[in-house]
Amino acid sequence: MTPATNPLVAFGAGKVILLGEHSVVYGYPAIAGPLSIGVVARGVPSRSCVLDVPVTADAAQKRMMRKAFARAAKLVGEPKVKVTLEPQLPLSAGLGSSAALAVATSRVLLRAAGQEPTAKATARLAWEMEQEFHGTPSGVDHTTSAEEKLILYRRVQAPAGVTGRARELKSPRPVSVVVALAGARSPTKLTVGALRERQARWPERYKRLFGQVGRLVTDAAKAVEAGDLEGLGDAMNVNQGLLNALGLSSPALEDMVFRLRSLGALGAKFTGAGGDGGAVIGLFPEPEPVVAQLTRDGVRCFASQLAGPRAQGDIP
Ligand code: MEV
């Protein structure tokens, strides 16, 4: 059964950050969009509220998923449902698998508890799960997944705790990326934690770099809305330089960035946490031939349209 016909089946989209990862944790803006693949959660009536973790997850991931599930389940009164997860994304590749999982699970839990899984209610519950996965998340991942739109996002420190503000970015031209996986990925908690130590030691230097990324994001948002893909691509390239300066890149990620640029990317950078490896995105007006070429070369990759008009017959 599809999510549309069975209320206890729900989808959570994966995400890519176009610009602004990491600095978004410190209150600077970021642009992120949803992927058409993510995580499907299926609920069936059960004697207790329980999570069936994916077999592909390792022991640490399973532990974290159970902890996050217990936290969310408690908040909705532990409805009697068994939730099974089907990830369509590689786990821990910087593509928002934990946020997708949190959003899909939250939608099922809310429905099982007799509540409407609106984008707001879903995001609120998914946020609780994300804190178990990431420690100090900015909220950009689960907000993008719950909204399923290209958004300009900013984390906000409010009296009631950390929250986020999101505005949809519409583009008159398709904004499409090739997502390619490179190297062995580092856990988000590690790269975020290591950067936190560096910025605590040299706060002024890192503040200047975060500020530069913030300005690029503002320029890039204008470029998206104007359909200026060349301007957007250039902002992505400069963002990659700053991510490298922040100590977040690696040979595997840089190699893939240059490979995508040599294939004609208007802009290319890593997306998400960075570190030893993970996902790299390239902005291409026509991504399909690039995916075909990279696949022939043995690179795990796919294309995704994040915003703009879709060709007739495209799956949204
Ligand atoms: C992870 O997808 C994005 C980071 O900026 C962390 C966060 O925003 O919570 C690295």
Side-chain angles (χ1 to χ4, degrees):
M1 251 191 267
T2 64
T5 56
N6 180 352
L8 287 185
V9 180
F11 173 71
K15 68 91 198 37
V16 287
I17 297 182
L18 261 187
L19 289 99
E21 50 275 272
H22 283 285
S23 38
V24 68
V25 174
Y26 298 87
Y28 295 87
I31 299 175
L35 298 171
S36 51
I37 53 173
V39 174
V40 175
R42 287 174 200 277
V44 288
S46 162
R47 265 187 285 181
S48 59
C49 189
V50 60
L51 177 71
D52 195 9
V53 291
V55 283
T56 49
D58 64 29
Q61 287 167 336
K62 284 180 184 163
R63 232 185 351 264
M64 241 182 330
M65 285 178 197
R66 289 201 182 97
K67 244 178 122 184
F69 180 81
R71 182 165 170 165
K74 207 165 164 201
L75 287 167
V76 289
E78 301 187 329
K80 295 193 181 327
V81 63
K82 177 178 163 180
V83 181
T84 305
L85 299 171
E86 293 165 21
Q88 305 162 329
L89 283 171
L91 296 176
S92 301
L95 298 174
S97 59
S98 70
L101 182 157
V103 164
T105 305
S106 296
R107 284 181 174 146
V108 170
L109 281 175
L110 285 164
R111 279 255 190 251
Q115 297 176 33
E116 193 54 37
T118 59
K120 224 179 184 164
T122 302
R124 207 177 302 130
L125 200 56
W127 167 248
E128 296 291 332
M129 296 183 72
E130 274 285 85
Q131 287 176 74
E132 292 293 343
F133 291 126
H134 291 312
T136 55
S138 67
V140 67
D141 290 10
H142 79 278
T143 306
T144 310
S145 181
E147 296 280 341
E148 289 189 44
K149 291 171 190 147
L150 185 72
I151 56 169
L152 178 63
Y153 177 87
R154 191 190 275 267
R155 176 185 189 180
V156 185
Q157 189 78 46
V162 172
T163 147
R165 265 192 221 123
R167 173 168 83 74
E168 182 178 3
L169 290 178
K170 290 195 171 144
S171 170
R173 288 174 72 189
V175 177
S176 296
V177 291
V178 170
V179 182
L181 299 183
R185 205 215 157 219
S186 311
T188 304
K189 252 186 189 171
L190 281 189
T191 56
V192 170
L195 177 60
R196 188 173 291 285
E197 280 173 24
R198 289 195 291 280
Q199 74 82 37
R201 196 158 169 208
W202 299 289
E204 283 310 313
R205 180 179 305 158
Y206 280 80
K207 201 171 155 192
R208 281 198 296 273
L209 289 170
F210 293 149
Q212 288 291 334
V213 176
R215 280 189 213 162
L216 277 177
V217 172
T218 307
D219 291 350
K222 286 185 191 144
V224 168
E225 290 180 319
D228 174 12
L229 296 185
E230 291 73 19
L232 172 61
D234 188 69
M236 288 168 66
N237 284 337
V238 180
N239 191 176
Q240 174 63 25
L242 291 170
L243 286 166
N244 197 340
L246 288 165
L248 295 161
S249 197
S250 59
L253 293 172
E254 293 294 323
D255 280 355
M256 188 56 79
V257 164
F258 281 97
R259 193 160 175 180
L260 294 183
R261 287 181 192 158
S262 73
L263 289 169
L266 298 173
K269 60 182 277 295
F270 79 70
T271 182
D276 291 340
V280 175
I281 52 172
L283 182 70
F284 289 93
E286 283 187 37
E288 297 308 338
V290 181
V291 169
Q293 175 68 52
L294 289 172
T295 306
R296 274 197 298 277
D297 296 345
V299 176
R300 284 173 73 197
C301 64
F302 59 92
S304 197
Q305 184 175 337
L306 305 177
R310 290 174 191 276
Q312 245 177 357
D314 266 11
I315 301 166

